[in-house]
Amino acid sequence: MSARCLIAGGGPAGMMLGLLLARAGVHVRVFEKHADFLRDFRGDTIHPSTLEVMHELGILDAFLALPHQEVTELGAAVGSRNFLVADFGHLPTRCRFLAFMPQWDFLNFIAMHARCLPTFELETEAEVAGILEAGERVTGVRVVTAAGEREEHADLVVAADGRRSTVRAAARLQVQELGAPMDVLWFRLTRTPQHPAETMGRFDTGRLFIAINRGDYWQCGDVIAKGTFESIKTRGLDAFRAGVAQAVPFAADRVGEIRSWDDVSLLTVQVDRLVRWYRPGLLCIGDAAHAMSPAGGVGINLAIQDAVAAANLLAEPLLAGRVGVEDLRRVQQRREFPTRVTQWMQVQIQRRVIAPALAQGVSPQPPLALRLLSRWPRLRRIPGRMVGLGVRPEHVRVPRAPAA
């Protein structure tokens, strides 16, 4: 099958775009460099806006039948004080909660439904190593597989290969760096029925800690000052375990499960965006277009919204074989404003909350925003909407192709 659209990267943006385009009848091929989706500590927060897209596709009930945790409110602890931050219970959606699910389950679910469509292909262990060009136009990609390297041509190449996008680099698109003061160390601790049930964030002197309830284990994120992981390792694993025990005292007896530094995964945080998301024949979406901070956990949400908007705007031109620069520009025009607003808010959180919390020896004070949210519960609907729906939620507009 000759594809009209080639997608580099089988993450949330790439798989959702592949599903939506194939559903509309576009011949699409997704290249995923790994053999499967089984990789730990990837973004796995499924937002109400994404759940609404699943409803519009008619697959929501089947999706929610998969194991997941539902969170209707988000909270944070600053020192000894607990605050509720976001309330999703009043969103104008069918699902008024965040669904926590391992990303590989989400991607396998999307792939299962996409493979039922005759115009969809997913090729694993196939890494996009570069682009093909004819003048200014991108005409295809170079793909490396176990069988060797080959060239693939199409009307459109979509870069959905993440914040270290090979395609973006090969296309020489200008990146605007916004900066981030932190990195995150991810690891697991066993959870018992006696532990608290809620997902939580904790700010304390020199420390910001996240514990996400995964049912039988905690997915823990220790937010550290950028570039300090090597010095943390120099202080030793025992000192790190002691710090974790202090951050989550209810799981202090579990820190021995961190047997070595191999059990700790470093996420190097970056916040950036492309000045222009496209070239003739090429479009970047998701983290390839705009790397997000983990603040608010909205990276997957933005990526999937990009995919929905791109499918809505590009399915018809792709079917007609005439996708042009103006079509690609409209995708950026549609998604750039919500990206800029979301990144601006993330940068403010980084500067005003996260950076001070990581300052050693500084006793954290609850920010004014947290105190206001605590005093007036209705205000929690605002961050609930910003996290749960985003600035500009997208809906599936492209019609489904008639069955053959």
Side-chain angles (χ1 to χ4, degrees):
M1 180 173 66
S2 177
R4 286 202 177 275
C5 179
L6 302 175
I7 300 175
M15 290 303 297
M16 181 60 77
L17 179 60
L19 169 64
L20 292 170
L21 289 179
R23 183 176 177 270
V26 177
H27 287 187
V28 59
R29 184 175 297 134
V30 179
F31 297 110
E32 169 53 48
K33 68 180 179 181
H34 298 96
D36 54 39
F37 299 122
L38 192 62
R39 291 176 294 287
D40 217 346
F41 306 128
R42 296 293 182 95
D44 45 13
T45 307
I46 311 300
H47 293 71
S49 58
T50 299
L51 296 172
E52 196 74 2
V53 168
M54 307 289 262
H55 168 74
E56 292 164 358
L57 293 173
I59 56 177
L60 177 62
D61 290 343
F63 180 70
L64 293 178
L66 297 174
H68 66 281
Q69 289 79 47
E70 297 178 4
V71 175
T72 58
E73 295 179 319
L74 289 180
V78 180
S80 61
R81 297 182 61 183
N82 295 318
F83 298 88
L84 287 175
V85 176
D87 176 10
F88 306 111
H90 301 275
L91 293 177
T93 54
R94 285 156 186 82
C95 298
R96 298 172 179 176
F97 53 81
L98 300 181
F100 284 98
M101 177 185 293
Q103 190 178 113
W104 59 81
D105 285 343
F106 172 75
L107 294 176
N108 280 326
F109 180 84
I110 297 298
M112 176 184 69
H113 285 274
R115 284 188 173 112
C116 295
L117 301 168
T119 58
F120 177 87
E121 285 186 275
L122 170 62
E123 185 174 350
T124 57
E125 296 184 277
E127 182 173 5
V128 174
I131 60 174
L132 306 176
E133 301 174 89
E136 283 298 307
R137 185 172 187 83
V138 175
T139 61
V141 296
R142 291 187 295 106
V143 184
V144 177
T145 70
E149 183 175 312
R150 72 177 194 269
E151 296 183 352
E152 292 275 351
H153 293 266
D155 295 331
L156 178 65
V157 172
V158 177
D161 51 345
R163 60 187 59 209
R164 297 181 181 87
S165 171
T166 298
V167 176
R168 178 173 89 173
R172 304 176 298 280
L173 295 172
Q174 183 181 350
V175 181
Q176 181 182 2
E177 299 284 350
L178 303 181
M182 77 286 194
D183 295 323
V184 183
L185 303 179
W186 290 109
F187 53 93
R188 293 185 179 200
L189 296 177
T190 302
R191 181 179 175 274
T192 72
Q194 291 73 40
H195 287 174
E198 66 272 12
T199 290
M200 65 189 74
R202 179 174 298 279
F203 298 79
D204 216 328
T205 303
R207 195 174 209 109
L208 196 166
F209 199 88
I210 304 160
I212 301 173
N213 180 356
R214 298 298 190 204
D216 59 353
Y217 71 94
W218 293 101
Q219 180 177 327
C220 299
D222 192 5
V223 182
I224 63 173
K226 178 163 287 295
T228 60
F229 186 35
E230 289 304 317
S231 64
I232 290 171
K233 290 169 70 173
T234 300
R235 291 196 291 271
L237 200 58
D238 285 340
F240 180 72
R241 293 193 194 105
V244 172
Q246 184 178 12
V248 281
F250 55 83
D253 60 339
R254 305 285 165 172
V255 298
E257 296 171 355
I258 310 171
R259 297 176 298 276
S260 73
W261 292 113
D262 291 338
D263 295 321
V264 180
S265 178
L266 171 66
L267 168 65
T268 302
V269 177
Q270 62 188 82
V271 183
D272 63 39
R273 62 175 174 261
L274 293 176
V275 175
R276 191 175 69 174
W277 299 15
Y278 58 89
R279 277 181 50 185
L282 171 69
L283 174 69
C284 297
I285 63 172
D287 277 358
H290 47 74
M292 309 300 291
S293 164
V298 297
I300 288 183
N301 188 42
L302 266 289
I304 290 173
Q305 297 296 301
D306 285 357
V308 176
N312 289 341
L313 292 166
L314 299 180
E316 183 179 343
L318 281 166
L319 286 168
R322 51 171 177 77
V323 62
V325 170
E326 183 60 24
D327 299 305
L328 305 179
R329 187 191 67 80
R330 281 198 290 267
V331 177
Q332 178 174 350
Q333 188 177 46
R334 174 75 186 177
R335 296 304 306 161
E336 186 169 26
F337 176 72
T339 297
R340 284 177 173 269
V341 172
T342 304
Q343 288 185 323
W344 180 85
M345 290 189 295
Q346 289 186 326
V347 169
Q348 298 310 305
I349 292 171
Q350 289 177 170
R351 291 175 179 171
R352 299 174 184 273
V353 179
I354 294 176
L358 295 177
Q360 293 294 329
V362 177
S363 179
Q365 297 298 318
L368 175 62
L370 283 185
R371 299 198 300 271
L372 293 174
L373 292 169
S374 178
R375 183 169 181 179
W376 286 293
R378 289 177 66 90
L379 292 178
R380 298 171 200 154
R381 299 181 188 183
I382 299 173
R385 187 176 182 90
M386 294 302 297
V387 172
L389 288 183
V391 176
R392 179 179 285 160
E394 304 288 349
H395 299 277
V396 178
R397 306 295 188 196
V398 59
R400 181 168 189 157

